[in-house]
Amino acid sequence: MSTILSLPEELIIEIMVKGDHRMLLLCQRVCRTLNAIIRGSLPLQYIISLAACGMRHGLTAEQLQRLHEHEAAWREVAWSDGGVITHKAARDLPTTISGGVLAFLKQSDGPSDDSGFGDRLFLLRIPSKLRGVPGESWELSGLGEMSNICIDSAQDLLLFQRACNFHVRALSSGKVHPSTLHPGAFDMGMGSSDVPTETPIVCCEHVAAIVHEHGWSQATLTIKGTVIVWNWTTGNQVAIIRPVFARIGRDITFLDRTHLLIPASASDSALKPGQNYELTLLVYDFDPSTTVFVNKVATVPYCFRIALPVRTGITTFRQARISANTASFSSPVAPCPQGYFYADPKDRIITLEVTDNNWMQGMEETAELYAPVRTFLAYIAAHPPPVLAASARGPVNVPWEAWGPHGAHVVRAADQPYIIRRSRACGMRVLGASLSKKSVVVADYHPGRVARSANLDAAARVRARTLSTFSEISQGIQSRLAPLVCVRKEVPLPKELQEASESPWTMLCEDALLAFEYVPDGFEISRVFAYTF
């Protein structure tokens, strides 16, 4: 009987190159022959290395050396090779960032309904020598008034709101996006008083936004509201999410194409030091069914609970915000340059900023929580909701002890001023608080890159390898999981910024670490420093 080993080696490699890294790693364990073939094949080793670096395939296996240099550049990041960005809109902070594209909105002083006097959008693509992505800048005008702008560089997507409509354009040209099945704008299906007041978020063909209702709470800075999901290609509403048992926060994010994470709280009352103010991360799974026009989301939400003690002042107001992750949820499609390789859209970390504010005494304290997307998705896959009657259904409560100690990382900020501002997360990398305004800290939570880091000892490597696969969570084995680990790199800022009177704003995107220098005693940006990879 013929087996795959009877085929010529070139044909075996041609077959295996169509698989993924998991298949190759399993084949290496089958026999010595397959192990030797895989180890000796540059294309197959390239596929394995891509997965280990949190990247996906771009062109050919000849880029393996570039891949290793790219990872080393992030691990040894420094400003010595950085430069100053020259851009006509660079005197403002970016309105939004996606991948390596920065968008700067210039609002018009003319009539809002006249496209000739409309807002202008300046766009800047950060170059990457190692990924083979060229730098580029362009301007979009004549689109009229734009608000709540959202971009997705991987899908060449520009989405903005005007009145009760979402407008869908190609980011590269400003023309109607070629994937749309409508004339380029669709009605959100709501009254003028219920339009979204926060920036929408995009994942693949879905766009989601919070519709605020009356009932804003000064005590918790949370809002009674509804989350609505649309399909931006068709303009149809896909899901309506209205948590009746909690007050949702002011940010939401996708975990994947059909899972939404919503910070919420169950209480409005002011707190005293020592009390636990319980925050909840609600995860909803909506089914974008083509047979149902609007899904009311009858699925049971998961409530991942976080308990943080209050330590500030006599009475405390608490605010939880999600720091935007600038990585795209989609793989690059034409005309967007994908480079030789690109970040895996599934590798993302959720960054939650929790602020305790005592405005009466002028006291404030901040805590941060980092949790990979896979932490939530793996728990949900391993613990399906119980089958109950509709009248008995309620949220699935997940206490902190069941997911937090091994799937998240909580950090209490020290008593020094921040120089970190949003957007400060990209993929599995996060900009953390620094020891002074002379440097920033880049933390990498990708398990493969953590495991190979030379900065970790042998015990830490074992912990990182445990987190590299979430099979133990899938099997319900949590006691053996070690705490979430990361690799930190303190990066000194350029000398000009270290000597500046104002602390710079720093941001993270796919191919650069950015620092924005302020004009002294002003609100304008004088220079933008960039370390590109």
Side-chain angles (χ1 to χ4, degrees), residues 464-498:
R465 282 198 295 272
T466 303
L467 287 171
S468 64
T469 64
F470 285 77
S471 58
E472 287 188 296
I473 299 179
S474 302
Q475 298 169 10
I477 304 172
Q478 300 170 355
S479 59
R480 291 187 293 170
L481 288 176
L484 186 66
V485 293
C486 65
V487 179
R488 292 184 178 89
K489 169 69 175 179
E490 185 175 355
V491 184
L493 290 172
K495 185 177 180 181
E496 299 91 329
L497 294 181
Q498 294 185 24

Side-chain angles (χ1 to χ4, degrees), residues 160 165 169 291 300 357-358 371 381 416 468:
F160 60 89
N165 295 322
R169 296 289 188 268
T291 61
V300 176
N357 190 306
N358 183 346
Q416 55 261 8
S468 64

Side-chain angles (χ1 to χ4, degrees), residues 109-123:
D109 296 328
S112 61
D113 56 349
D114 189 338
S115 61
F117 291 94
D119 300 336
R120 293 186 297 167
L121 193 66
F122 298 93
L123 296 125

Side-chain angles (χ1 to χ4, degrees), residues 195-249:
V195 295
T197 56
E198 301 292 339
T199 303
I201 57 171
V202 170
C203 178
C204 300
E205 75 276 23
H206 295 143
V207 54
I210 299 178
V211 179
H212 291 165
E213 302 172 0
H214 296 293
W216 185 74
S217 167
Q218 290 183 344
T220 56
L221 293 180
T222 57
I223 297 172
K224 292 180 179 179
T226 301
V227 178
I228 301 182
V229 184
W230 297 266
N231 184 315
W232 61 263
T233 63
T234 64
N236 294 334
Q237 285 187 359
V238 175
I240 299 176
I241 302 173
R242 183 178 287 112
V244 297
F245 56 89
R247 302 179 66 87
I248 66 176

Side-chain angles (χ1 to χ4, degrees), residues 316-532:
T316 301
F317 302 147
R318 177 160 283 181
Q319 179 184 17
R321 301 296 302 266
I322 295 177
S323 179
N325 194 308
T326 60
S328 174
F329 276 100
S330 308
S331 301
V333 295
C336 305
Q338 66 176 1
Y340 302 123
F341 41 84
Y342 55 91
D344 190 339
K346 296 180 181 178
D347 288 333
R348 302 173 68 87
I349 194 160
I350 303 298
T351 305
L352 192 71
E353 303 167 345
V354 182
T355 303
D356 292 339
N357 190 306
N358 183 346
W359 58 270
M360 296 178 62
Q361 296 184 355
M363 302 174 66
E364 182 176 295
E365 186 178 61
T366 303
E368 300 171 337
L369 179 140
Y370 311 122
V373 163
R374 293 175 182 174
T375 294
F376 304 100
L377 297 180
Y379 186 92
I380 292 172
H383 302 83
V387 179
L388 299 172
S391 59
R393 288 178 182 172
V396 177
N397 290 305
V398 185
W400 170 258
E401 294 75 16
W403 73 279
H406 59 269
H409 184 199
V410 177
V411 177
R412 284 280 189 180
D415 297 329
Q416 55 261 8
Y418 273 109
I419 64 168
I420 304 300
R421 298 295 185 270
R422 304 202 294 179
S423 303
R424 60 188 193 86
C426 186
M428 297 290 284
R429 294 185 175 97
V430 178
L431 283 179
S434 75
L435 301 177
S436 67
K437 73 175 186 178
K438 297 183 180 296
S439 64
V440 293
V441 175
V442 180
D444 191 347
Y445 285 87
H446 188 275
R449 295 192 293 258
V450 170
R452 293 191 314 281
S453 173
N455 298 328
L456 291 181
D457 56 20
R461 289 177 184 272
V462 172
R463 293 198 300 270
R465 282 198 295 272
T466 303
L467 287 171
S468 64
T469 64
F470 285 77
S471 58
E472 287 188 296
I473 299 179
S474 302
Q475 298 169 10
I477 304 172
Q478 300 170 355
S479 59
R480 291 187 293 170
L481 288 176
L484 186 66
V485 293
C486 65
V487 179
R488 292 184 178 89
K489 169 69 175 179
E490 185 175 355
V491 184
L493 290 172
K495 185 177 180 181
E496 299 91 329
L497 294 181
Q498 294 185 24
E499 298 174 352
S501 58
E502 299 290 336
S503 297
W505 282 46
T506 55
M507 294 184 179
L508 192 64
C509 64
E510 185 172 4
D511 291 313
L513 181 60
L514 306 172
F516 297 81
E517 181 186 27
Y518 272 103
V519 174
D521 301 324
F523 296 98
E524 290 187 337
I525 303 297
S526 58
R527 286 181 294 183
V528 182
F529 292 81
Y531 180 90
T532 58

